[in-house]
Amino acid sequence: MAEKDSSKITLQASTRSGDQTHRRLKSRHIQLIGIGGTIGTALYVQIGRGLINGGPASLFIAFTIWCSFILAVTLCMAEMVTHLPISSPFIRFAGRYVDEAFGFAAGWNFFIFEAALVPFEVTACNVIIHYWSDAIPAGGIIAIVIVLYGLINLLAVQWYGEAEFWTALGKVLLIVALLLFTFIVMLGGNPLGDRFGFRYWSTPGAFAILYHEGALGRWLGFLQCLIQASFTIAGPDYVSMAAGEAENPRVVMPRAFNAVFYRLTTFFVLGSLAVGILVPYDDAEMALAFSAGKPGAAASPYVVAMNRLGIRILPDIVNAMVLTAAFSAGNSYVYCASRSLYGLALEGKAPRLFTRCTAKGVPVYCVLVVLAVALLSFLQVSNDAAIVLQWFVNLVTASQLINYSVICVTYLRFHAALRAQGVSRDALPYRAMLQPYAGWYGLVGCVIMTFVSGYPVFLPGKWDLPTFLFSYTMIGVCPLLYFGWKSLKKTRIYRADEVDLFKNVNEIDEYQRTFVPSPSKNALERVLDWMFG
């Protein structure tokens, strides 16, 4: 009876403002969605490219530094979302706290970013499968992956949550296993009995030289690692996108933001350290794997290390786990892209058609649009996979940094509005530390990296028009979206004293007051809810 009452309350709380999604995602789902959307092939395979460009020390330092910017963005996001946990929150907050045109540009930028990542991961899945055999045609694999994404995302949100929970849990187990593998083999636990420790930090060295000789070359190598970190490390945006479908969000969301940040920081920082321990940055096999576009995990520093040490079977296991990682990441991108489009439609910034949901609370037309974008992965059938993957990477790198810049700007306006309207931050459900300084820190770092991300095209002899366009297209598109909507709708930037901080807050307060937790269905769920609660 309690479960039925909870469902009824959930439905009422969701539909009052036109939002037809259901609050069915538990704390464990939210946390693993954040991890699942962030950990993909970049942590296991593409990180090797950073090692080649900058060396082990540059890679480790760059990943560590960028985690501080992700912490700043997380603090901004956590305070706002816990105050008002609604669907597509940071997109809608941008319109409410800054300017409706700002929200329009932010929303469409995020949708393009997430939607473009879906064919990226579909293409990656195809490449990974061809690690074992070329017998299955690329078109067949791509079609199967897209159909699976459709089934998982259209059935119901709780099915998505469960699917993402288990695949993301597999990613966590894989990175933990690879970190343990690194620790064991570096101390001599390998077939060669080689106790190599940090040998490769001294030979060939801790810093690689890129594009130029001397100190400038080492700096450019570090900068390339920092750019890779800015594309690879994420988290708060994926957690926030599930806020409108989270059970008991005022309690669940702060825990989810904190847990996801600390876990991801551990994985990315230690992962960047591990690959620099396992393989020298000038390893010929790893360089050849990237230059020749070898399939699957062939270019992974972990697989390269296993081959160097004469370890068999493990490379196949790593490739299988990387496949689940890529599939899970793509699944998260379908979810986030569809919910961002749904949020835009709720705010009147996309056709009203996209607000329609199934009886189980799934925005069906939004999901179908994202799956249609995923069909771009069929470009691989007539083009080299490595080229197609790079197209998508270049297109979305700037978009992610723009997203984080938007979050920081929105928070700074939120903070200013609280102060101007005499609302104490102590009254908020969650008060983030270091504010508003963290907001400014995150904003400055993300804006600088947005423009720096495509810098190699400006070096002597490196000019390439397609690379320039893919790297900087969204930087030009976003102002066009902003000023286009502003001129069409005659919007303006809100003063701090007129920002509506409490729209929909009463609905969340009522939901929290009458919330009845849904019980765990079995012993396994009880254990999982306790572990990730």
Coordinates of all heavy atoms in Angstrom, one line a residue, residues 432-519:
A432 N 26.8 24.9 -0.4 CA 28.1 24.5 -0.9 C 29.2 25.4 -0.3 O 29.0 26.6 0.0 CB 28.2 24.6 -2.5
M433 N 30.4 24.8 -0.1 CA 31.5 25.5 0.4 C 32.2 26.4 -0.7 O 31.9 26.2 -1.9 CB 32.5 24.5 1.0 CG 33.1 23.5 -0.1 SD 34.3 22.4 0.7 CE 34.7 21.4 -0.8
L434 N 33.0 27.3 -0.2 CA 33.8 28.1 -1.1 C 33.1 29.0 -2.1 O 33.7 29.5 -3.0 CB 34.8 27.2 -1.9 CG 35.7 26.3 -1.0 CD1 36.5 25.4 -2.0 CD2 36.6 27.1 -0.1
Q435 N 31.8 29.2 -1.9 CA 31.1 30.1 -2.8 C 31.0 31.5 -2.3 O 31.0 31.8 -1.1 CB 29.6 29.5 -2.9 CG 29.5 28.2 -3.6 CD 29.9 28.2 -5.1 OE1 30.5 29.1 -5.6 NE2 29.7 27.1 -5.7
P436 N 31.0 32.5 -3.3 CA 30.9 32.3 -4.7 C 32.3 32.2 -5.4 O 32.4 32.2 -6.7 CB 30.3 33.6 -5.2 CG 30.8 34.7 -4.2 CD 31.0 33.9 -2.9
Y437 N 33.4 32.0 -4.6 CA 34.7 32.0 -5.2 C 34.9 30.8 -6.1 O 35.5 30.8 -7.2 CB 35.8 32.0 -4.1 CG 35.5 33.1 -3.1 CD1 35.1 32.8 -1.8 CD2 35.8 34.4 -3.5 CE1 34.8 33.8 -0.9 CE2 35.5 35.4 -2.6 CZ 35.0 35.1 -1.3 OH 34.8 36.2 -0.4
A438 N 34.3 29.6 -5.7 CA 34.3 28.4 -6.6 C 33.7 28.7 -7.9 O 34.1 28.2 -9.0 CB 33.7 27.2 -5.9
G439 N 32.6 29.4 -7.9 CA 31.9 29.8 -9.2 C 32.8 30.6 -10.1 O 32.9 30.3 -11.3
W440 N 33.5 31.6 -9.6 CA 34.4 32.4 -10.4 C 35.6 31.6 -10.9 O 36.0 31.7 -12.0 CB 34.9 33.6 -9.6 CG 33.8 34.7 -9.4 CD1 33.1 35.0 -8.3 CD2 33.3 35.5 -10.5 NE1 32.3 36.1 -8.6 CE2 32.4 36.4 -9.9 CE3 33.6 35.7 -11.8 CZ2 31.7 37.4 -10.7 CZ3 33.0 36.6 -12.6 CH2 32.0 37.5 -12.0
Y441 N 36.1 30.7 -10.0 CA 37.2 29.9 -10.4 C 36.9 29.0 -11.5 O 37.6 28.8 -12.5 CB 37.7 29.1 -9.2 CG 38.8 28.1 -9.4 CD1 40.1 28.5 -9.6 CD2 38.5 26.7 -9.4 CE1 41.1 27.6 -9.8 CE2 39.5 25.8 -9.6 CZ 40.8 26.2 -9.8 OH 41.8 25.3 -10.0
G442 N 35.7 28.3 -11.4 CA 35.2 27.4 -12.5 C 35.0 28.1 -13.8 O 35.3 27.6 -14.8
L443 N 34.4 29.3 -13.7 CA 34.1 30.1 -14.9 C 35.3 30.5 -15.6 O 35.4 30.3 -16.8 CB 33.2 31.3 -14.5 CG 32.9 32.3 -15.6 CD1 32.1 31.6 -16.7 CD2 32.2 33.5 -15.1
V444 N 36.3 31.1 -14.9 CA 37.5 31.5 -15.6 C 38.2 30.3 -16.2 O 38.7 30.4 -17.4 CB 38.4 32.2 -14.6 CG1 39.8 32.5 -15.2 CG2 37.8 33.5 -14.1
G445 N 38.4 29.2 -15.5 CA 39.1 28.1 -16.1 C 38.4 27.5 -17.3 O 39.0 27.2 -18.3
C446 N 37.0 27.4 -17.3 CA 36.3 26.8 -18.4 C 36.3 27.7 -19.6 O 36.4 27.2 -20.7 CB 34.9 26.5 -17.9 SG 34.8 25.1 -16.7
V447 N 36.2 29.0 -19.4 CA 36.2 29.9 -20.5 C 37.5 29.9 -21.2 O 37.6 29.9 -22.5 CB 35.8 31.4 -20.1 CG1 36.1 32.4 -21.2 CG2 34.4 31.5 -19.6
I448 N 38.6 29.9 -20.4 CA 39.9 29.9 -21.1 C 40.1 28.6 -21.9 O 40.6 28.6 -23.0 CB 41.0 30.0 -20.0 CG1 41.0 31.4 -19.4 CG2 42.4 29.7 -20.5 CD1 42.0 31.6 -18.2
M449 N 39.7 27.5 -21.3 CA 39.9 26.2 -22.0 C 39.0 26.1 -23.2 O 39.4 25.3 -24.1 CB 39.7 25.0 -21.0 CG 40.8 24.9 -19.9 SD 42.5 24.7 -20.6 CE 42.3 23.2 -21.5
T450 N 37.9 26.7 -23.2 CA 37.0 26.7 -24.4 C 37.8 27.2 -25.6 O 37.7 26.7 -26.7 CB 35.8 27.6 -24.1 OG1 35.1 27.0 -23.0 CG2 34.8 27.5 -25.3
F451 N 38.5 28.3 -25.4 CA 39.2 28.9 -26.6 C 40.6 28.2 -26.8 O 41.0 28.3 -28.0 CB 39.4 30.4 -26.3 CG 38.1 31.2 -26.4 CD1 37.4 31.5 -25.3 CD2 37.7 31.6 -27.6 CE1 36.2 32.2 -25.4 CE2 36.5 32.4 -27.7 CZ 35.7 32.6 -26.6
V452 N 41.1 27.6 -25.8 CA 42.4 27.0 -26.0 C 42.3 25.6 -26.6 O 43.3 25.1 -27.2 CB 43.1 26.9 -24.6 CG1 44.4 26.0 -24.6 CG2 43.5 28.3 -24.1
S453 N 41.2 25.0 -26.5 CA 41.0 23.5 -26.9 C 41.5 23.2 -28.3 O 41.9 22.1 -28.6 CB 39.6 23.1 -26.7 OG 38.7 23.8 -27.5
G454 N 41.4 24.2 -29.2 CA 41.8 23.9 -30.6 C 43.1 24.6 -31.0 O 43.3 24.8 -32.2
Y455 N 43.9 24.9 -30.0 CA 45.1 25.8 -30.3 C 46.1 25.2 -31.3 O 46.7 25.9 -32.0 CB 45.8 26.1 -29.0 CG 46.8 25.0 -28.6 CD1 48.1 25.0 -29.0 CD2 46.4 23.9 -27.8 CE1 49.0 24.1 -28.6 CE2 47.3 22.9 -27.4 CZ 48.6 23.0 -27.8 OH 49.5 22.0 -27.5
P456 N 46.2 23.8 -31.5 CA 47.2 23.3 -32.4 C 47.1 23.8 -33.8 O 48.1 23.9 -34.6 CB 47.0 21.8 -32.3 CG 46.5 21.6 -30.9 CD 45.6 22.7 -30.7
V457 N 45.8 24.2 -34.3 CA 45.7 24.6 -35.6 C 46.3 25.9 -35.9 O 46.5 26.3 -37.1 CB 44.2 24.7 -36.0 CG1 43.5 23.3 -35.9 CG2 43.4 25.7 -35.2
F458 N 46.7 26.7 -34.9 CA 47.3 28.0 -35.0 C 48.8 27.9 -35.0 O 49.5 28.9 -35.2 CB 46.8 29.0 -33.9 CG 45.3 29.2 -34.0 CD1 44.5 28.7 -33.0 CD2 44.7 29.9 -35.0 CE1 43.1 28.9 -33.0 CE2 43.4 30.1 -35.0 CZ 42.6 29.6 -34.0
L459 N 49.4 26.7 -34.7 CA 50.8 26.6 -34.7 C 51.3 26.6 -36.2 O 50.6 26.2 -37.1 CB 51.2 25.3 -34.0 CG 50.8 25.2 -32.5 CD1 51.2 23.8 -32.0 CD2 51.6 26.3 -31.7
P460 N 52.6 27.0 -36.4 CA 53.1 27.0 -37.8 C 53.1 25.6 -38.4 O 53.5 24.6 -37.8 CB 54.6 27.4 -37.5 CG 54.6 28.2 -36.2 CD 53.5 27.5 -35.4
G461 N 52.5 25.6 -39.6 CA 52.4 24.3 -40.4 C 51.3 23.4 -39.9 O 51.1 22.3 -40.5
K462 N 50.5 23.8 -38.9 CA 49.4 22.9 -38.4 C 48.0 23.3 -38.8 O 47.0 22.7 -38.4 CB 49.5 22.9 -36.9 CG 50.8 22.3 -36.3 CD 50.9 20.8 -36.5 CE 52.2 20.3 -35.9 NZ 52.3 18.8 -36.2
W463 N 47.9 24.4 -39.6 CA 46.6 24.8 -40.0 C 45.8 23.8 -40.8 O 46.3 23.2 -41.7 CB 46.6 26.1 -40.8 CG 45.3 26.5 -41.3 CD1 44.8 26.4 -42.6 CD2 44.3 27.2 -40.5 NE1 43.5 26.9 -42.6 CE2 43.1 27.4 -41.4 CE3 44.2 27.6 -39.2 CZ2 42.0 28.0 -40.9 CZ3 43.0 28.2 -38.8 CH2 41.9 28.4 -39.6
D464 N 44.5 23.5 -40.3 CA 43.7 22.6 -41.0 C 42.2 23.1 -40.8 O 41.7 23.2 -39.7 CB 43.8 21.2 -40.4 CG 42.9 20.2 -41.0 OD1 43.1 19.8 -42.2 OD2 42.0 19.7 -40.3
L465 N 41.6 23.5 -41.9 CA 40.3 24.1 -41.9 C 39.2 23.2 -41.2 O 38.5 23.7 -40.4 CB 39.8 24.5 -43.3 CG 38.5 25.3 -43.4 CD1 38.6 26.6 -42.5 CD2 38.1 25.6 -44.8
P466 N 39.1 21.9 -41.6 CA 38.1 21.1 -40.9 C 38.3 21.0 -39.4 O 37.3 21.1 -38.7 CB 38.2 19.7 -41.6 CG 38.8 20.0 -42.9 CD 39.7 21.2 -42.7
T467 N 39.5 20.9 -39.0 CA 39.8 20.8 -37.5 C 39.4 22.1 -36.9 O 38.8 22.1 -35.8 CB 41.3 20.5 -37.3 OG1 41.6 19.3 -37.9 CG2 41.6 20.4 -35.8
F468 N 39.7 23.2 -37.5 CA 39.4 24.5 -36.9 C 37.9 24.7 -36.8 O 37.3 25.1 -35.8 CB 39.9 25.7 -37.8 CG 39.4 27.0 -37.5 CD1 40.0 27.7 -36.4 CD2 38.4 27.6 -38.2 CE1 39.5 29.0 -36.1 CE2 37.9 28.9 -37.9 CZ 38.4 29.5 -36.8
L469 N 37.1 24.3 -37.9 CA 35.7 24.4 -37.8 C 35.0 23.5 -36.8 O 34.2 24.0 -36.0 CB 35.1 24.1 -39.2 CG 35.4 25.1 -40.3 CD1 34.9 24.6 -41.7 CD2 34.9 26.5 -40.0
F470 N 35.5 22.3 -36.7 CA 34.9 21.4 -35.7 C 35.3 21.8 -34.3 O 34.5 21.6 -33.4 CB 35.4 19.9 -35.9 CG 34.6 19.2 -37.0 CD1 35.2 18.8 -38.2 CD2 33.3 18.9 -36.8 CE1 34.5 18.1 -39.1 CE2 32.6 18.2 -37.7 CZ 33.2 17.8 -38.9
S471 N 36.5 22.4 -34.1 CA 36.9 22.8 -32.8 C 36.2 24.1 -32.3 O 35.9 24.2 -31.1 CB 38.4 23.1 -32.7 OG 39.1 21.9 -33.0
Y472 N 35.8 25.0 -33.2 CA 35.3 26.3 -32.8 C 33.8 26.5 -33.3 O 33.3 27.7 -33.0 CB 36.2 27.4 -33.2 CG 37.5 27.3 -32.5 CD1 38.7 26.8 -33.1 CD2 37.6 27.8 -31.2 CE1 39.9 26.7 -32.4 CE2 38.8 27.8 -30.5 CZ 39.9 27.2 -31.1 OH 41.1 27.2 -30.4
T473 N 33.2 25.6 -33.9 CA 31.8 25.8 -34.4 C 30.9 26.2 -33.3 O 30.1 27.2 -33.5 CB 31.3 24.5 -35.1 OG1 32.1 24.3 -36.3 CG2 29.8 24.7 -35.5
M474 N 30.9 25.5 -32.2 CA 29.9 25.8 -31.2 C 30.2 27.1 -30.5 O 29.2 27.8 -30.0 CB 29.9 24.7 -30.1 CG 29.3 23.4 -30.7 SD 27.7 23.5 -31.5 CE 26.7 24.2 -30.2
I475 N 31.4 27.6 -30.5 CA 31.7 28.9 -29.9 C 31.0 30.0 -30.7 O 30.6 31.0 -30.2 CB 33.2 29.1 -29.9 CG1 33.9 28.1 -28.9 CG2 33.6 30.6 -29.4 CD1 35.4 28.2 -28.9
G476 N 30.9 29.8 -32.0 CA 30.2 30.7 -32.9 C 28.7 30.5 -32.9 O 27.9 31.5 -33.0
V477 N 28.2 29.2 -32.8 CA 26.8 28.9 -32.8 C 26.1 29.5 -31.6 O 25.0 30.0 -31.7 CB 26.6 27.4 -33.0 CG1 25.1 27.0 -32.7 CG2 27.0 26.9 -34.3
C478 N 26.7 29.3 -30.4 CA 26.0 29.7 -29.2 C 25.6 31.2 -29.1 O 24.5 31.5 -28.8 CB 26.9 29.4 -27.9 SG 26.8 27.6 -27.6
P479 N 26.5 32.1 -29.5 CA 26.1 33.5 -29.6 C 25.0 33.8 -30.6 O 24.1 34.6 -30.3 CB 27.4 34.3 -30.0 CG 28.5 33.4 -29.5 CD 28.0 32.0 -29.7
L480 N 25.0 33.0 -31.7 CA 23.9 33.2 -32.7 C 22.6 32.7 -32.1 O 21.5 33.4 -32.3 CB 24.2 32.3 -33.9 CG 25.4 32.8 -34.8 CD1 25.6 31.9 -36.0 CD2 25.1 34.2 -35.4
L481 N 22.6 31.6 -31.3 CA 21.4 31.1 -30.7 C 20.9 32.2 -29.6 O 19.7 32.5 -29.5 CB 21.7 29.8 -30.0 CG 21.9 28.6 -30.9 CD1 22.4 27.4 -30.0 CD2 20.7 28.2 -31.7
Y482 N 21.8 32.7 -28.9 CA 21.5 33.7 -27.8 C 20.9 34.9 -28.4 O 19.7 35.3 -28.0 CB 22.7 34.0 -27.0 CG 22.5 35.1 -26.0 CD1 21.8 34.8 -24.8 CD2 23.0 36.4 -26.2 CE1 21.6 35.8 -23.8 CE2 22.8 37.4 -25.2 CZ 22.1 37.1 -24.1 OH 21.9 38.1 -23.1
F483 N 21.6 35.6 -29.3 CA 21.1 36.8 -29.9 C 19.8 36.6 -30.8 O 19.0 37.5 -30.9 CB 22.2 37.6 -30.6 CG 23.2 38.1 -29.7 CD1 24.5 37.6 -29.6 CD2 22.9 39.2 -28.9 CE1 25.4 38.1 -28.8 CE2 23.9 39.7 -28.0 CZ 25.1 39.2 -27.9
G484 N 19.8 35.5 -31.4 CA 18.6 35.2 -32.3 C 17.4 35.1 -31.4 O 16.3 35.7 -31.8
W485 N 17.4 34.3 -30.3 CA 16.2 34.2 -29.4 C 15.9 35.5 -28.7 O 14.8 35.9 -28.5 CB 16.5 33.1 -28.4 CG 15.3 32.7 -27.6 CD1 15.0 33.0 -26.3 CD2 14.2 31.8 -28.1 NE1 13.8 32.5 -25.9 CE2 13.3 31.7 -27.0 CE3 13.9 31.2 -29.2 CZ2 12.1 31.0 -27.1 CZ3 12.8 30.4 -29.3 CH2 11.9 30.3 -28.3
K486 N 17.0 36.2 -28.4 CA 16.8 37.5 -27.7 C 16.0 38.5 -28.6 O 15.1 39.2 -28.2 CB 18.1 38.1 -27.3 CG 18.0 39.5 -26.6 CD 19.4 40.0 -26.1 CE 19.7 39.3 -24.8 NZ 18.8 39.8 -23.7
S487 N 16.4 38.6 -29.9 CA 15.8 39.5 -30.8 C 14.4 39.0 -31.1 O 13.5 39.8 -31.3 CB 16.6 39.6 -32.1 OG 16.7 38.4 -32.7
L488 N 14.2 37.7 -31.2 CA 12.8 37.2 -31.5 C 11.8 37.4 -30.4 O 10.7 37.7 -30.6 CB 13.0 35.7 -31.9 CG 11.7 35.0 -32.3 CD1 11.1 35.5 -33.6 CD2 11.9 33.4 -32.4
K489 N 12.3 37.1 -29.1 CA 11.4 37.1 -28.0 C 11.5 38.4 -27.1 O 10.8 38.5 -26.1 CB 11.6 35.9 -27.1 CG 11.3 34.6 -27.8 CD 9.9 34.4 -28.1 CE 9.5 33.1 -28.7 NZ 8.1 32.9 -28.9
K490 N 12.5 39.3 -27.5 CA 12.7 40.5 -26.8 C 13.0 40.3 -25.3 O 12.5 40.9 -24.4 CB 11.5 41.4 -26.9 CG 10.9 41.7 -28.3 CD 12.0 42.3 -29.2 CE 11.5 42.5 -30.6 NZ 12.5 42.9 -31.6
T491 N 13.8 39.3 -25.0 CA 14.2 39.0 -23.6 C 15.2 40.0 -23.1 O 15.8 40.7 -23.9 CB 14.8 37.6 -23.5 OG1 16.0 37.5 -24.2 CG2 13.8 36.5 -24.2
R492 N 15.5 39.9 -21.8 CA 16.5 40.8 -21.2 C 17.1 40.0 -20.0 O 16.6 39.1 -19.5 CB 15.8 42.1 -20.7 CG 14.8 41.9 -19.6 CD 14.1 43.2 -19.3 NE 13.0 43.0 -18.3 CZ 13.2 42.9 -17.0 NH1 14.5 43.1 -16.5 NH2 12.3 42.7 -16.1
I493 N 18.3 40.5 -19.6 CA 19.0 39.9 -18.5 C 18.3 40.4 -17.2 O 18.1 41.6 -17.0 CB 20.5 40.4 -18.5 CG1 21.2 39.9 -19.8 CG2 21.2 39.9 -17.3 CD1 22.6 40.4 -19.9
Y494 N 18.0 39.5 -16.4 CA 17.2 39.8 -15.1 C 18.2 40.5 -14.1 O 19.3 40.1 -13.9 CB 16.7 38.5 -14.5 CG 15.6 37.8 -15.3 CD1 15.8 36.5 -15.7 CD2 14.5 38.5 -15.8 CE1 14.9 35.9 -16.5 CE2 13.5 37.9 -16.5 CZ 13.7 36.5 -16.9 OH 12.8 35.9 -17.7
R495 N 17.6 41.5 -13.4 CA 18.3 42.0 -12.3 C 18.3 41.0 -11.1 O 17.3 40.2 -11.0 CB 17.7 43.4 -11.8 CG 17.7 44.5 -12.8 CD 17.3 45.8 -12.2 NE 16.1 45.7 -11.3 CZ 14.9 45.8 -11.7 NH1 14.6 46.1 -12.9 NH2 13.9 45.7 -10.8
A496 N 19.2 41.1 -10.3 CA 19.3 40.1 -9.1 C 18.1 40.2 -8.3 O 17.6 39.2 -7.7 CB 20.6 40.4 -8.3
D497 N 17.5 41.4 -8.1 CA 16.4 41.5 -7.2 C 15.0 41.1 -7.8 O 14.0 41.0 -7.1 CB 16.2 43.0 -6.7 CG 16.0 44.0 -7.8 OD1 16.1 43.6 -9.0 OD2 15.7 45.1 -7.5
E498 N 15.0 40.8 -9.1 CA 13.8 40.3 -9.7 C 13.8 38.9 -10.2 O 12.8 38.4 -10.7 CB 13.4 41.3 -10.9 CG 14.4 41.2 -12.1 CD 14.1 42.1 -13.2 OE1 13.0 42.7 -13.2 OE2 14.8 42.2 -14.2
V499 N 14.9 38.2 -9.9 CA 15.0 36.8 -10.3 C 14.0 36.0 -9.4 O 13.9 36.2 -8.2 CB 16.4 36.2 -10.0 CG1 16.4 34.7 -10.1 CG2 17.4 36.8 -11.1
D500 N 13.2 35.1 -10.1 CA 12.2 34.3 -9.4 C 12.9 33.0 -8.8 O 13.1 32.1 -9.6 CB 11.1 33.9 -10.3 CG 9.9 33.2 -9.6 OD1 10.1 32.8 -8.4 OD2 8.9 32.9 -10.2
L501 N 13.3 33.1 -7.6 CA 14.0 32.0 -6.9 C 13.1 30.8 -6.5 O 13.6 29.8 -6.1 CB 14.8 32.5 -5.7 CG 15.9 33.5 -6.0 CD1 16.4 34.1 -4.7 CD2 17.1 32.7 -6.7
F502 N 11.8 31.1 -6.4 CA 10.9 30.1 -5.7 C 9.8 29.5 -6.6 O 8.9 28.9 -6.1 CB 10.2 30.8 -4.5 CG 11.2 31.3 -3.5 CD1 11.6 32.6 -3.5 CD2 11.8 30.4 -2.6 CE1 12.6 33.0 -2.5 CE2 12.8 30.8 -1.7 CZ 13.2 32.1 -1.7
K503 N 9.9 29.7 -7.9 CA 9.0 29.1 -8.9 C 9.2 27.6 -8.8 O 10.3 27.0 -8.8 CB 9.3 29.5 -10.3 CG 8.3 28.9 -11.3 CD 8.6 29.5 -12.7 CE 7.7 28.9 -13.7 NZ 8.0 29.4 -15.1
N504 N 8.1 26.8 -8.5 CA 8.0 25.4 -8.4 C 8.6 24.8 -7.1 O 8.5 23.6 -6.8 CB 8.7 24.7 -9.5 CG 8.2 25.0 -10.9 OD1 9.0 25.4 -11.8 ND2 6.9 24.9 -11.1
V505 N 9.1 25.7 -6.2 CA 9.7 25.2 -5.0 C 8.6 24.7 -4.1 O 8.8 23.7 -3.4 CB 10.4 26.4 -4.2 CG1 10.8 26.0 -2.8 CG2 11.7 26.8 -5.0
N506 N 7.4 25.3 -4.0 CA 6.3 24.7 -3.2 C 5.9 23.3 -3.6 O 5.6 22.5 -2.7 CB 5.1 25.6 -3.3 CG 5.2 26.9 -2.6 OD1 6.1 27.1 -1.7 ND2 4.5 27.9 -3.0
E507 N 6.0 23.0 -4.9 CA 5.7 21.6 -5.3 C 6.7 20.6 -4.8 O 6.4 19.5 -4.3 CB 5.7 21.6 -6.9 CG 4.7 22.5 -7.5 CD 4.9 22.6 -9.0 OE1 5.6 21.7 -9.6 OE2 4.3 23.5 -9.6
I508 N 8.0 21.0 -4.8 CA 9.0 20.2 -4.2 C 8.9 20.0 -2.7 O 9.0 18.9 -2.2 CB 10.4 20.7 -4.6 CG1 10.6 20.8 -6.1 CG2 11.5 19.8 -4.0 CD1 10.5 19.6 -6.9
D509 N 8.6 21.1 -2.0 CA 8.4 21.1 -0.6 C 7.2 20.1 -0.2 O 7.3 19.4 0.7 CB 8.0 22.5 -0.1 CG 9.2 23.4 -0.1 OD1 10.4 22.9 -0.2 OD2 9.0 24.7 -0.1
E510 N 6.1 20.2 -1.0 CA 5.0 19.3 -0.8 C 5.3 17.9 -1.0 O 5.0 17.0 -0.2 CB 3.8 19.8 -1.6 CG 2.6 18.9 -1.5 CD 1.9 18.9 -0.2 OE1 2.2 19.8 0.6 OE2 1.0 18.1 0.1
Y511 N 6.1 17.6 -2.1 CA 6.5 16.3 -2.4 C 7.4 15.7 -1.2 O 7.2 14.6 -0.8 CB 7.3 16.2 -3.7 CG 8.0 14.9 -3.9 CD1 7.3 13.8 -4.4 CD2 9.4 14.8 -3.6 CE1 8.0 12.6 -4.6 CE2 10.0 13.6 -3.8 CZ 9.3 12.5 -4.3 OH 10.0 11.3 -4.5
Q512 N 8.3 16.5 -0.8 CA 9.2 16.1 0.3 C 8.4 15.8 1.6 O 8.7 14.9 2.3 CB 10.3 17.1 0.6 CG 11.3 17.3 -0.5 CD 12.2 16.1 -0.7 OE1 12.6 15.8 -1.8 NE2 12.5 15.4 0.4
R513 N 7.4 16.7 1.9 CA 6.6 16.6 3.1 C 5.8 15.3 3.1 O 5.7 14.6 4.2 CB 5.7 17.8 3.2 CG 4.9 17.8 4.6 CD 4.0 19.0 4.6 NE 2.9 18.8 3.7 CZ 1.8 18.1 3.9 NH1 1.7 17.4 5.0 NH2 0.9 18.0 3.0
T514 N 5.3 14.8 2.0 CA 4.4 13.7 1.9 C 5.2 12.4 1.3 O 4.5 11.4 1.1 CB 3.2 14.0 1.0 OG1 3.7 14.4 -0.3 CG2 2.4 15.1 1.6
F515 N 6.5 12.5 1.2 CA 7.2 11.4 0.6 C 7.2 10.2 1.4 O 7.4 10.2 2.6 CB 8.7 11.8 0.3 CG 9.6 10.7 -0.1 CD1 9.5 10.2 -1.4 CD2 10.5 10.1 0.7 CE1 10.3 9.1 -1.8 CE2 11.3 9.1 0.3 CZ 11.2 8.6 -1.0
V516 N 6.9 9.1 0.8 CA 6.9 7.7 1.4 C 7.9 6.9 0.6 O 7.7 6.6 -0.6 CB 5.5 7.0 1.4 CG1 5.6 5.7 2.0 CG2 4.5 7.9 2.1
P517 N 9.0 6.5 1.2 CA 10.0 5.7 0.4 C 9.5 4.4 -0.1 O 8.8 3.7 0.7 CB 11.2 5.6 1.4 CG 10.6 5.7 2.8 CD 9.4 6.7 2.6
S518 N 9.8 4.0 -1.3 CA 9.5 2.7 -1.8 C 10.4 1.7 -1.3 O 11.6 1.9 -1.3 CB 9.5 2.7 -3.4 OG 10.7 3.1 -3.8
P519 N 9.9 0.6 -0.7 CA 10.8 -0.4 -0.1 C 11.6 -1.2 -1.1 O 11.2 -1.3 -2.3 CB 9.8 -1.3 0.6 CG 8.5 -1.2 -0.2 CD 8.5 0.2 -0.7

